[in-house]
Each structure stands twice: as C-alpha cells, then as structure tokens.
Amino acid sequence: MNKKFLSAILFGALMVTSTGTFVSCKDYDDDIDEINGKIDKIETTLSELESKIGDKGVTSVTFDEKTGVLTVVDGTGTKTYTIKTTAPDVDELTITIEGKDLKVDGKVIGQVGDTVAVKNGELTINGTATGIKVGQYAILDNQSAGTVTITLPDADGKLQTVELMKASAALTSVQFQKENPEFVDIEGTATAFQWGTARIAFPNWGGKKGAITRNQLMVGQTNVVKVQVTPAGYDLGAQTLTLVDSRGNVAPANITAVANNRLMSRAASANGSWDLSIEMTDDVTATNIAKIFDYDPVAGTGHMAYTLCVNGIPYTTYELAVKPDDNKSSVSAAITGLTDADIKYVAADGRVADLSSGKFPTGSTELFIEENNLYDSYITFEGTNKSLAEQYGITVDGMTINVPASATGVTIKGIVHTMAINGYESAITDNEVTFNIIGSTVTAQSIAATTHQIAPAATAADVLKKVRIDLGDVFKNIPAATREAARETAQFYVVEEKSQTGFLIGDNTALSNSTYNKFNTVSYLKADETQWTDNTDDILDLRYIDLEVAGKVAADAQPGDYQLSFVVMDENYVTGSGNIKGNEIIKINMPVNVTVPSFADMFEQEAAEWNTAKTEFNARIYIDNTTNEPQLRFGEAFKKTAKYTDAEYSQVVYAVKYIDSKSPIAAASNTELSTEEGVATVGDGGIATLDKTVVYNTAGDALKETTFANMVAAYPLFYQVGTTESGLTQDELNIVLEAFTVTSTAYTSKLITPLYGIAFDGKDIILDADGKATTKLVLDESNMAVNNANITVSSPAAGLTNSNQAKYTFLPSTFTASANAVKTEFSIEQSGTNVTLDADGIVVSGLTGMSTLKVTFTDATGLIYTSTVKIQPAK
C-alpha cells in the first residue's frame, strides 16, 4: 500500500477522532518526503457509494489499507466498497498518539496541544508547514455540517469527492403538532373532506389538473397536517412519505411535505416545522373513497389510523386519519361570488395575505382559495385586461401569477375560474378580482432626526403635544420638475412602514397598494407656521409637518427610535379613476426619536436624607396621627429639579422588594401589593403603613428588619392622560402608562425610627441648688431632616417637630398614648433618690453624690430607646 495514501487516510482519521492538536518536528522530514513521493492511482468511483447510502445517514467510515476496503455503516446496515490499487507492497506506516506525543513508526514528530490547520493540502502546526500532505486523500468529519467527506483520486489521478450525511443529521423523530391529527376539510371545521363526480366531461378545462372525464372522481381540498422533525435541518420535503396502517398496508394517497407552509418553497425548514398535504392515488375511485380509508373497508367501520413512514421507515404512532365524507357531495352549483379577500397567497414575511390587502408583490406568486367544494381553479385576464397584461408582461399559469418589476403600480383585473367537485364550472363573468401591484419606489432624501420628548407638563394636552418635524431645506435637493409634478398630484402622505410597531401615534390606515400606513391627521406648515396649501404655495415653502397626538395615541406606544416618511404618489392613487398607481415621486426619510427624560433629570435627591455616596436613603418611620400606627415616608427621598418644574412629585411611586416573601408594607388603600413579582408598590406621596409583623421583632419593641434593598422610584409621565385624552380603552391606556414610566436607579433604604439618636447635650448633668438639671436633656437629631435645636424634656413643653408630624410631647409614665406622645421614664443607681419631670425639666431629690441616670423613652409604636448620663449634686 502506498505510504503517502496511507498517511493521508490515517491523518484524516486522526483529525476526526482526536480533539487535540499537533506541534511539528522537522527531523522526520526525509521519511515524509519519501512517503509523499509514492502515489499510485486508485481506479474507482464514489458515485455508486453515494447512491447506496442516499440520505440514510452514516455512523462510521473506515478504510482498511491492507485490503483496500472502504467500510460505511449507516442506519440500515454495513456497506463495503473495494478500492483497487496498483500500489507496490511497502512496509506499513504506523501513526499513534501516546500521551501528548504524536508518533510515526514509533518516532515522535509532534505533541498534542497547539494549533493545527490544513493549508494548500498540507498539514500546518502553529502556521508552520510540516511537509505532510493531508486532506486531499482523507476521510474528514465535518462536525458543524453533520456530514462526512471522502476524497479519493480516480484511475487517472483526478480527485473525486462525496459528502455523506452523518446519522446525527439523519431523521430521528417526527411529531404531530396537535392531538388527533386528521386530513379533513380545508375550512377548519374539522369535518370530513368533500368529494363528488363530474356530471359531464370538460376536455378543455384550463386548470393544472387537466381534462376532466364524465363521472371522474373529484376530491375537494383538505387541510394540512403539521409535523415537527428532529433534527430541525432535516429535509422532509425531499423524502418519500407514505401512510401505513398497523397491518402493513400502504394507504392509497400521496403525501407531500412543504416547509412551514404548503405554498412556500420546498427548501428545508429552518425550524423543523413542515406541512403535510394529501392527494388521492388512482386506486381511489368514486366507488370506494367512502370506505377505503376505514378500518373495515367492507363494513365502513371507523377510520383507519396510520403511521407516517419516511422512506419506508415508520416514525410516528398510529394516530393519523384520512377522513373523506361518507357520502358524495350534493353540490349543484358553481363556486361564485369570490372576492379579493378569498384569493390568498403567502407574503414575503411568511404570513398569509390576500388581494384585499393591496401591495401585491412582483415576481412569481402562487395563489390559493380555501373552499371545501373546490376541485381546481385557474386565472385568466379577459377584455381590456388582456392587452394590459401583455403591455406589462404579466402572465398566469394556473393559480400562479408572474409579475415583472416593470409592472409596479399597475392595477389589473382577473377572472378566477373554478371547478366544483360535482363538475360545475363558474362562468366567465364570475369571480372578478383585482391585483393592485405594489408601486415603484424612488431614492429617498433624508433629514436630521426629530426628537419628540414626552415630558412632565401642566396639562394632559401639554403631555400629548403634536409631533413637529422640521423639513429644513430638503426640497432644494430635489429637481424642480419633480417638485412641480409632486405638487400637481397633491397626493401627499406622512407614512410609516406597515411592519413598524411602537410609534406614539396610532391614527393611521393602510394605504391601498402600498407598503405604508398613512397618518390621517397631518398639518403642513410654512416657515412662519401658517398653513401651506398645494394649490397656492410652492413646495419649496413647505417647512414643517405636524402630527396630531391627542386622541390618537397608539395602543402599543413606547419610547424608541422610529422611521417615518413623507411621500408623494402619482396621480389617481387613492380615489381617482383608472389604474391605481401608487408609484413614488418624492420620498423623504424622517427619523423620529420618541424620548423621555431620565428620572434623575426630573428629580434630585434630598441631601439631608441620603448618605454621602447617595446610595442609601433614610426611610424615616413616623406615627400616623389617626391610627397611631407606624408609617414609612419614602416620598422624602427626592425633590423635583428646576429643569422640570411641571413634574408632580406626589405622583412618584416607590417599589420595594419583599423581605422573606413578606411585604414590609401593610395593605392599605394607597398600596398595591404584587404577590407574583415580590414587590410592594407605594403611591400617594410615598406614604405607606409599616407592617410591624414583618419589620418589628417578636416583642415589638425594636426593629428586626432595618434595610430595604433594591428600592426604585418611578414617575408615570402619562399620569394626567385619561381614555378621552388618549383615545384608548382603559386597558390599553394602562399598558401605555407603564411604557412611559421612568424609574430611578435602584438604591437601599435604611429604616430610621421616630426617635433616632437619643443623647444628652453635655457629658454630665449637674443639679443646681433646687435639684434642677443645669444641663438640659436633649434629643440629638443630627441625622434627621428636622429642627436640630436642643429640646428640653418637659411636660407638655415644646417638643421635636418636622414637616409631616406634630410636636413630640414627652410625658411621664402616666401619659395617654397618642401619635406625638413619648412615654418618658427615669431610673437612677443611687438608692433613696427620686427623679421626676416637670415643666422646666428634670427634678432630682435625695442625690448625695455622683450617680448614673438612665432615661427610657417609648414611642406610640412601642419602640424603646434608652440613654444614660452621669449626674451629681450642685457643688
């Protein structure tokens, strides 16, 4: 066996099976050169091999250099192919990998671990040629393509290559995409499909099914059965499909698979989804069709359940049924009254469209009609439409119409000829339909993007201000003759592509024979903002375009960048007589960016309540004046900026994550709790009732939870807009409100108790001769946004105040609880000493020396605060 050929085969196998790479070692070059010099021709061809394997998929390919036998294993078994050679007998060349060493006849020539490539048929390692010719005579595993490539020279030394599909790329499963799959009627009523016989012969029938003989079986249209194949890239449409029952009988029907939709190309499906359609074979006749697909064809008992076989191999369970009607159709009339909406086709986007939607495409388009009793149909052009079709090169073949690019903008009428399943033909005057062929386009001019910001405003009308587009001097770039032609047609439109979604304005309708939706409420203005009119003003004077927003908000509106266009069409476009054209004369691209201000633009942090890094907010707990319950006031976190004075701070909404799946906020009329997303939403100025069972400890006298992470503040820019102002339903408006809600960056809220930071103003308290404290007891509120002055503890003297809460009153143990009452208790280490609280402050009697005074405060929520201070009698 020739050593060069042998080395190529072994290196090909090595490259298939090893995930490692190699490093060259040049000291074996002489041996390699000797091997490369001994090439003999192989007298064979691979076409026979390819025909044997077909699409069954191979699991392995090996070559025995001693016998010259190529062995291929596929899903149906093992196939061998002898490759005859005239190679002289030479010593075998052994290539192995031991550890990281690559050896040829026991000698190391490289190591696994570096970059291997094949360049010009030569093995390269780290970009350096090794002198070993590979890839030309090798078995290569194409991992990404799912194939195996075999390359061999023929008897004349000419290389030949065959690529076989691997088993991994072969069909592994077929699944029906619905339960109880059945071939039934096409109109989706899940009833048996219809059939009949021709009452007379139609030897000149022009449909694709050809001449019709008297009493011929005529089967109506059926639905398609959808299947999903694995792998997704498997080409089901290229296979032989049959239906086989549990007894091994093949159903008398031809099954065809088409990717995604029965009318689209036969290319392999990108997602593995296929549609199966059925056609009866010649074995099905008017005599047996009612029973031939039944489990018992004699008695007509039950419909037979079939498995779908691909190339003779069953791939599904026995659940597919073919259901013709038990009785011949009683149809006794032609199929007439078809409208544009009845003539359907698959548009370029893969969706089903019909002639009533306009913009019929150029190119070749297959049309179809979903009619149970239809046997066949075709289209002709009659009357003056014959010459029109000839003029523009429009042709038809059955139900396929071919429209050249030169026919853009043409409107032409055709007659749909139908043949019903009992042999009733429509008349030449029936079923006239219209093809509005999509108009031609021109190269568009472009202008700078318009920024339209939805910003806080004093009224809903201000929020919904018009979108104004400044055209600038764009018309100067358009030839004068074109401008004048455009002005004379007066077919001006502001449009957006039909496929565009999310633009602010939803007040548009589809332009007939166009790719556009037009806006209905448009104002054209001159530079001085007075009205521009086409019959008195030059098109050069057109400067601004205003689009109405109020009452016309789109249900899917959201901020974003959008493309609008100003287009001028040719004459008779919409309402005129004659051929509808829809060809563009002028087109100007007008980008419109619908924006919103950031939360930081509208609201800034209140410095007193935030840490230095502005990442933590002191969420202060207050006590409700009515319920004496603790409240959280998130609303003190921000204030509106000078730039957006119309922002209404009371509309800011705060959202806080749940703590251990429980909301820290008690359900209240102003609180929306979302159990699905673990978020509590707080409105009405950011005030919410605190849930003590979640935030307080078991005793209820201290906080258990002191941090709310991932707090977010949000402002709904559309909060003033109602259904009347927007033109939306309430459900639609709710979606738009959310789309135009601006949120802050996430921050952390630290819970701050009502009496935060109790201390005494001074190191010690020294009593005067009357036992009064010369240094007053104060509350240190340096970390609070409140009055920071010293506060004398007295009853009922002035107490701590803030903007949202009445003065705190510090009372002895006999106090009556209220929102602003603080229970005040004293204890002192020295026995025999009495401490009381009067209107002037602390009164201590019986103190004989230095001692420690402990003060305990309890607020209305039950939270306890303590502080101690040294106290001594007057000197």
Side-chain angles (χ1 to χ4, degrees), residues 388 392 394 407-412 435-438 513 580-581:
L388 187 62
Y392 288 101
I394 302 171
T408 53
V410 171
T411 291
I412 188 169
F435 297 89
N436 290 321
I437 300 168
I438 191 169
N513 190 36
I580 297 177
K581 293 291 186 182

Side-chain angles (χ1 to χ4, degrees), residues 453-457 459 463 559 595-598 602-603 644 647 651 714-721 736-737 739-742:
Q453 187 180 77
I454 305 297
T459 65
V463 174
T595 66
V596 294
S598 68
M602 294 183 289
F603 302 102
Y644 288 95
Q651 295 300 317
Y715 184 77
L717 291 164
F718 267 65
Y719 83 89
Q720 294 166 301
V721 178
V736 173
L737 281 168
F740 286 90
T741 293
V742 181

Side-chain angles (χ1 to χ4, degrees), residues 477-530:
N477 301 324
I478 299 173
T482 304
R483 296 197 306 261
E484 185 58 19
R487 187 186 68 81
E488 289 178 354
T489 68
Q491 303 294 334
F492 286 19
Y493 302 97
V494 177
V495 299
E496 65 174 340
E497 303 297 327
K498 284 189 177 181
S499 60
Q500 180 167 283
T501 59
F503 184 61
L504 180 62
I505 304 170
D507 176 50
N508 51 34
T509 58
L511 277 175
S512 159
N513 190 36
S514 173
T515 60
Y516 301 122
N517 288 328
K518 69 173 182 177
F519 294 97
N520 293 320
T521 310
V522 183
S523 298
Y524 299 102
L525 307 174
K526 294 187 287 188
D528 62 1
E529 301 187 14
T530 59

Side-chain angles (χ1 to χ4, degrees), residues 115-302:
T115 304
V116 171
V118 177
K119 185 176 182 181
N120 298 324
E122 187 173 359
L123 183 69
T124 63
I125 301 175
N126 288 339
T128 302
T130 64
I132 301 176
K133 296 292 184 179
V134 296
Q136 289 184 327
Y137 322 117
I139 302 168
L140 300 179
D141 188 349
N142 309 309
Q143 294 283 357
S144 60
T147 59
V148 174
T149 301
I150 304 172
T151 302
L152 299 172
D154 62 15
D156 297 322
K158 184 179 179 180
L159 291 178
Q160 55 178 323
T161 298
V162 63
E163 190 171 274
L164 304 178
M165 183 170 59
K166 293 171 60 178
S168 59
L171 183 63
T172 58
S173 73
V174 179
Q175 292 184 337
F176 296 116
Q177 293 181 307
K178 60 172 286 187
E179 293 182 0
N180 303 319
E182 301 169 336
F183 283 113
V184 290
D185 67 304
I186 196 173
E187 294 189 65
T189 58
T191 58
F193 60 84
Q194 306 300 299
W195 59 275
T197 57
R199 60 189 181 87
I200 59 174
F202 293 89
N204 299 318
W205 171 247
K208 299 296 286 185
K209 292 184 178 181
I212 299 170
T213 60
R214 185 173 182 272
N215 293 325
Q216 173 186 319
L217 173 66
M218 307 173 80
V219 179
Q221 297 187 97
T222 70
N223 66 321
V224 294
V225 173
K226 295 184 178 296
V227 295
Q228 182 77 31
V229 301
T230 304
Y234 185 79
D235 190 356
L236 190 64
Q239 316 310 317
T240 299
L241 307 180
T242 53
L243 301 181
V244 179
D245 64 28
S246 60
R247 295 170 290 196
N249 299 315
V250 178
N254 296 319
I255 307 299
T256 303
V258 178
N260 297 318
N261 186 286
R262 66 192 179 105
L263 297 175
M264 296 183 72
S265 72
R266 294 181 60 86
S269 170
N271 56 13
S273 178
W274 294 81
D275 288 345
L276 305 181
S277 59
I278 188 172
E279 182 178 344
M280 304 299 109
T281 68
D282 293 340
D283 294 327
V284 180
T285 66
T287 303
N288 64 20
I289 187 173
K291 298 180 180 180
I292 196 169
F293 297 102
D294 289 346
Y295 184 79
D296 186 341
V298 176
T301 305

Side-chain angles (χ1 to χ4, degrees), residues 258-506:
V258 178
N260 297 318
N261 186 286
R262 66 192 179 105
L263 297 175
M264 296 183 72
S265 72
R266 294 181 60 86
S269 170
N271 56 13
S273 178
W274 294 81
D275 288 345
L276 305 181
S277 59
I278 188 172
E279 182 178 344
M280 304 299 109
T281 68
D282 293 340
D283 294 327
V284 180
T285 66
T287 303
N288 64 20
I289 187 173
K291 298 180 180 180
I292 196 169
F293 297 102
D294 289 346
Y295 184 79
D296 186 341
V298 176
T301 305
H303 290 99
M304 177 63 70
Y306 295 99
T307 179
L308 177 68
C309 292
V310 181
N311 299 323
I313 301 174
Y315 276 91
T316 68
T317 55
Y318 291 88
E319 54 182 324
L320 179 57
V322 180
K323 292 188 173 182
D325 197 283
D326 289 339
N327 300 295
K328 175 182 174 180
S329 172
S330 59
V331 168
S332 60
I335 298 172
T336 60
L338 296 177
T339 67
D340 291 352
D342 297 316
I343 313 304
K344 301 179 181 181
Y345 62 95
V346 178
D349 61 2
R351 300 178 183 179
V352 174
D354 60 65
L355 296 187
S356 67
S357 64
K359 65 165 189 174
F360 189 76
T362 57
S364 180
T365 303
E366 187 176 355
L367 304 163
F368 64 97
I369 305 166
E370 293 184 339
E371 167 63 51
N372 288 335
N373 294 323
L374 180 66
Y375 169 71
D376 197 8
S377 61
Y378 66 98
I379 297 171
T380 62
F381 298 122
E382 305 295 336
T384 58
N385 289 285
K386 288 183 180 180
S387 296
L388 187 62
E390 182 179 350
Q391 176 185 352
Y392 288 101
I394 302 171
T395 61
V396 289
D397 181 16
M399 289 296 287
T400 299
I401 182 169
N402 301 291
V403 181
S406 58
T408 53
V410 171
T411 291
I412 188 169
K413 295 182 182 296
I415 300 296
V416 182
H417 303 262
T418 62
M419 177 63 68
I421 55 178
N422 275 351
Y424 289 89
E425 181 184 13
S426 58
I428 193 70
T429 56
D430 294 334
N431 304 327
E432 185 178 67
V433 296
T434 302
F435 297 89
N436 290 321
I437 300 168
I438 191 169
S440 63
T441 60
V442 297
T443 301
Q445 302 286 327
S446 295
I447 63 173
T450 297
T451 298
H452 181 82
Q453 187 180 77
I454 305 297
T459 65
D462 293 331
V463 174
L464 301 177
K465 62 186 177 183
K466 295 179 180 179
V467 175
R468 169 160 292 188
I469 299 170
D470 187 346
L471 296 171
D473 297 326
V474 67
F475 291 111
K476 291 183 178 180
N477 301 324
I478 299 173
T482 304
R483 296 197 306 261
E484 185 58 19
R487 187 186 68 81
E488 289 178 354
T489 68
Q491 303 294 334
F492 286 19
Y493 302 97
V494 177
V495 299
E496 65 174 340
E497 303 297 327
K498 284 189 177 181
S499 60
Q500 180 167 283
T501 59
F503 184 61
L504 180 62
I505 304 170

Side-chain angles (χ1 to χ4, degrees), residues 572-607:
N572 301 323
Y573 176 49
V574 174
T575 58
S577 60
N579 296 331
I580 297 177
K581 293 291 186 182
N583 297 308
E584 296 174 352
I585 299 176
I586 290 176
K587 182 176 182 180
I588 299 172
N589 291 332
M590 304 185 302
V592 176
N593 303 333
V594 180
T595 66
V596 294
S598 68
F599 190 87
D601 287 337
M602 294 183 289
F603 302 102
E604 59 186 347
Q605 295 165 314
E606 287 277 16

